[in-house]
Amino acid sequence: MVRFLNVNKDYGKLSVIHQLDFDVAEGEMVTIIGPSGSGKTTVLRILMTLEPISGGVIYVNGKPLTHMAKAGVLVPADERHFRQMRSSIGMCFQHFNLFPHMTALQNCMEGPVQVLGLAKKEARERSEELLTMVGMIDKKDQHPSRLSGGQQQRVAIARALAMRPKVMLFDEVTSALDPEVIGEVTNVIRKLVAEHNLTMLMVTHQMGFARDISDRVCFFYGGKIEEEGSPHDLFENPQRDRTRQFLSAVKEAY
Amino acid sequence: MSIWEFLRTYGPALASGTLTTCTEFVLATAIAIIVAVVMGLAKLSSNWLIRAPAIVYIEIFRGTSLLVQLYWIFFVLPLFGITLPKSIAGFLSVGLNCGAYGAELVRGAIQSVPRGQWEAATAISLSPAVRMRRIILPQALSIMLPPWGNLLIELLKGTALVALISVSDLMFEVKQINAMTYLSAQAFGTALVIYYLLARFLITPFMRWLERVVARGLGRV
Ligand SMILES: Nc1ncnc2c1ncn2[C@@H]1O[C@H](COP(=O)(O)OP(=O)(O)OP(=O)(O)O)[C@@H](O)[C@H]1O
Ligand SMILES: [Mg+2]
């Protein structure tokens, strides 16, 4: 579903992602863990086309993400191609980024109406269904400023899902939340995993959650995958020193 | 002559001048808003050909004196075959001048909408135009309203210059009264008070009201 081939990302002289090869199968839930600055967020931002890549090719659903085929060769994509590719990808951010001038419902309806061209009524039905799924239907007419962090994040998940993406990206969606509301967001993600065939890529620092929910866990270090495997293998029996160090450091911290 | 007698005698002239000042103010504000939005957006364009004219425009109209601009539009443009009636030349130059300042307010406000908002809009595939219109501009509006309040008060004061090309605004009427009667203190004193009242009791409350409306739109009441 998602394939990174020899992808590089540099910021000036700093190489953040280095020759990354990475595959995610359809319907797979992959969690990315790793120390701060290892490039976890960058991988998601590249996929969401919020950052251009410096080298390599990415395929999403068989189509090149940042390139278009023109007369048999791949050339850098234009804005239209980007927009078309984006519509199959949804992303949730650490700081929610809901639109503050719109209610929860309007936040969810914006994409379906403006991008997919749905009629208001249809967009509303779709959004209300999703807000019900995330448990936010009774707050649908509230502006984000009236919602708690956990509530905002659940609306943000509904907003992303309203575009019916094939791939969902979650970047530390619980990191900015108070401990007692983390559960309401992780429960929504659990539900997505159980009930939908979405391909998901999640960055998290919650190792317990990663372990319960993932099909595969990737440990990033220095812009590369240092080690990957099933949650059981990676957490119980890490092969690499750096993985072991990271896991024991995280265990101490929590 | 007491101030009451003064007002009774010259009230009609003062009222008509004030009305002209208000008209010039409203029309100049309309021009300033249009120019500010167009030039502010153009200055943010990634296309050099769109950005360059905006930069030149803003530099010229902010960098030179309003009075000189007014004289240019009224006295010099006719030499190039463009003759404008004086009242139009008046609000046009004030509007174009304040529009250049407004353009910087628009640009600054757009740039201070948090990056996360641009990214979230991009992540739901909004096109750049829709993203600007539906997500960024409404938030930029609430950021730039307070400085616009100041700018509009400056604009009101700037309209007094149109008297110099004989538009019969408040300043023009007051100067005429002064020339006829030598009642300088009463004449210019009244003008001072009227300009203050317009700024303090029309523009400022209106802007406050607008700020409240926009804040309500953001759910911050
Ligand atoms: N816009 C940018 N310009 C320059 N350097 C950047 C930029 N964004 C990220 N970086 C650098 O890229 C590296 C990887 O950043 P990234 O945000 O992907 O890390 P991360 O693994 O998500 O870390 P964290 O756990 O702290 O969120 C860091 O060294 C960071 O300083
Ligand atoms: Mg990060």
Side-chain angles (χ1 to χ4, degrees):
Chain A
M1 191 69 188
V2 176
R3 164 164 291 177
F4 283 67
L5 282 180
N6 202 13
V7 171
N8 287 308
K9 170 70 190 172
D10 312 322
Y11 287 110
K13 282 204 178 117
L14 180 72
S15 169
V16 176
I17 301 291
H18 192 64
Q19 295 180 350
L20 178 68
D21 291 313
F22 183 39
D23 275 314
V24 184
E26 186 170 354
E28 198 180 13
M29 169 56 146
V30 175
T31 303
I32 299 175
I33 60 172
S36 183
S38 58
K40 308 180 297 294
T41 296
T42 306
V43 168
L44 300 193
R45 291 174 56 83
I46 285 173
L47 252 182
M48 194 65 254
T49 70
L50 298 174
E51 296 285 352
I53 54 175
S54 316
V57 188
I58 300 168
Y59 291 91
V60 175
N61 211 5
K63 280 183 262 173
L65 176 69
T66 57
H67 297 74
M68 343 184 252
K70 224 182 206 169
V73 286
L74 289 183
V75 295
D78 58 16
E79 172 63 29
R80 247 184 77 213
H81 177 85
F82 274 131
R83 222 179 307 150
Q84 200 194 343
M85 292 306 293
R86 266 177 212 139
S87 60
S88 59
I89 307 172
M91 182 162 180
C92 293
F93 302 86
Q94 186 173 354
H95 297 287
F96 337 126
N97 301 348
L98 289 180
F99 307 132
H101 56 302
M102 298 181 181
T103 62
L105 182 64
Q106 288 167 338
N107 263 277
C108 296
M109 289 171 60
E110 187 65 11
V113 170
Q114 299 292 337
V115 179
L116 307 179
L118 256 58
K120 282 248 165 74
K121 182 168 169 287
E122 208 178 329
R124 169 170 298 124
E125 282 167 8
R126 179 187 287 196
S127 303
E128 287 179 343
E129 206 172 290
L130 287 165
L131 286 171
T132 308
M133 196 270 286
V134 301
M136 287 298 296
I137 192 68
D138 50 331
K139 302 262 186 195
K140 69 181 162 82
D141 294 320
Q142 299 285 344
H143 281 85
S145 56
R146 297 289 190 83
L147 302 176
S148 74
Q151 293 173 332
Q152 289 188 54
Q153 194 60 285
R154 286 185 282 152
V155 173
I157 293 172
R159 174 177 70 178
L161 291 172
M163 296 297 289
R164 302 256 162 99
K166 296 197 166 63
V167 181
M168 274 291 283
L169 312 175
F170 296 96
D171 186 16
E172 295 195 35
V173 288
T174 56
S175 292
L177 300 179
D178 291 334
E180 72 270 21
V181 299
I182 287 177
E184 62 190 47
V185 173
T186 52
N187 282 339
V188 167
I189 298 176
R190 277 178 214 275
K191 205 151 134 191
L192 283 180
V193 171
E195 294 170 12
H196 298 261
N197 191 38
L198 272 167
T199 306
M200 292 194 252
L201 207 48
M202 177 173 82
V203 173
T204 186
H205 286 297
Q206 288 178 272
M207 298 304 151
F209 181 51
R211 190 174 163 155
D212 287 359
I213 202 173
S214 314
D215 296 315
R216 178 154 56 105
V217 180
C218 296
F219 172 67
F220 264 66
Y221 190 92
K224 280 185 152 175
I225 299 177
E226 177 81 12
E227 181 168 357
E228 61 180 317
S230 71
H232 181 270
D233 290 348
L234 196 109
F235 287 115
E236 302 304 329
N237 190 17
Q239 300 298 308
R240 304 285 214 132
D241 285 345
R242 283 180 179 141
T243 317
R244 275 196 286 271
Q245 278 164 16
F246 174 75
L247 289 175
S248 68
V250 168
K251 213 169 277 164
E252 266 167 44
Y254 287 87
Chain B
M1 192 188 245
S2 81
I3 186 72
W4 301 117
E5 217 173 314
F6 176 84
L7 286 179
R8 208 168 322 125
T9 315
Y10 298 106
L14 291 169
S16 128
T18 305
L19 192 65
T20 305
T21 289
C22 288
T23 314
E24 293 275 307
F25 170 77
V26 169
L27 295 172
T29 300
I31 303 247
I33 292 172
I34 294 166
V35 165
V37 172
V38 171
M39 291 297 166
L41 286 173
K43 198 173 172 185
L44 287 169
S45 169
S46 54
N47 185 338
W48 179 90
L49 284 173
I50 298 176
R51 200 169 60 236
I55 293 173
V56 171
Y57 176 89
I58 293 169
E59 282 304 309
I60 290 179
F61 278 87
R62 280 206 318 173
T64 63
S65 128
L66 170 56
L67 184 57
V68 179
Q69 289 161 20
L70 179 65
Y71 281 6
W72 253 85
I73 286 173
F74 189 60
F75 295 117
V76 182
L77 282 190
L79 305 180
F80 297 97
I82 306 168
T83 308
L84 297 171
K86 57 192 175 185
S87 69
I88 293 182
F91 72 75
L92 194 62
S93 43
V94 177
L96 291 176
N97 178 272
C98 287
Y101 288 90
E104 288 292 308
L105 297 184
V106 171
R107 180 192 59 78
I110 287 173
Q111 283 181 325
S112 49
V113 173
R115 221 165 79 129
Q117 291 293 313
W118 298 76
E119 293 179 348
T122 307
I124 58 166
S125 308
L126 297 186
S127 69
V130 173
R131 178 179 63 194
M132 183 57 77
R133 182 168 54 83
R134 303 265 318 162
I135 309 300
I136 305 302
L137 280 181
Q139 297 181 59
L141 181 64
S142 90
I143 297 171
M144 67 180 151
L145 271 184
W148 265 98
N150 288 332
L151 184 60
L152 291 186
I153 290 172
E154 285 305 316
L155 187 150
L156 172 69
K157 297 188 220 159
T159 62
L161 290 181
V162 303
L164 294 171
I165 57 167
S166 307
V167 178
S168 50
D169 74 334
L170 176 60
M171 195 60 200
F172 182 83
E173 297 292 349
V174 162
K175 277 169 64 179
Q176 291 230 307
I177 295 167
N178 179 54
M180 286 186 301
T181 63
Y182 296 107
L183 293 170
S184 304
Q186 287 92 328
F188 293 122
T190 315
L192 218 59
V193 170
I194 292 177
Y195 278 114
Y196 175 75
L197 294 179
L198 289 178
R200 181 68 185 76
F201 293 101
L202 283 178
I203 299 177
T204 304
F206 177 73
M207 293 306 289
R208 286 281 144 72
W209 172 79
L210 255 189
E211 283 169 33
R212 272 202 307 278
V213 169
V214 171
R216 201 169 308 139
L218 290 171
R220 292 194 211 123
V221 180

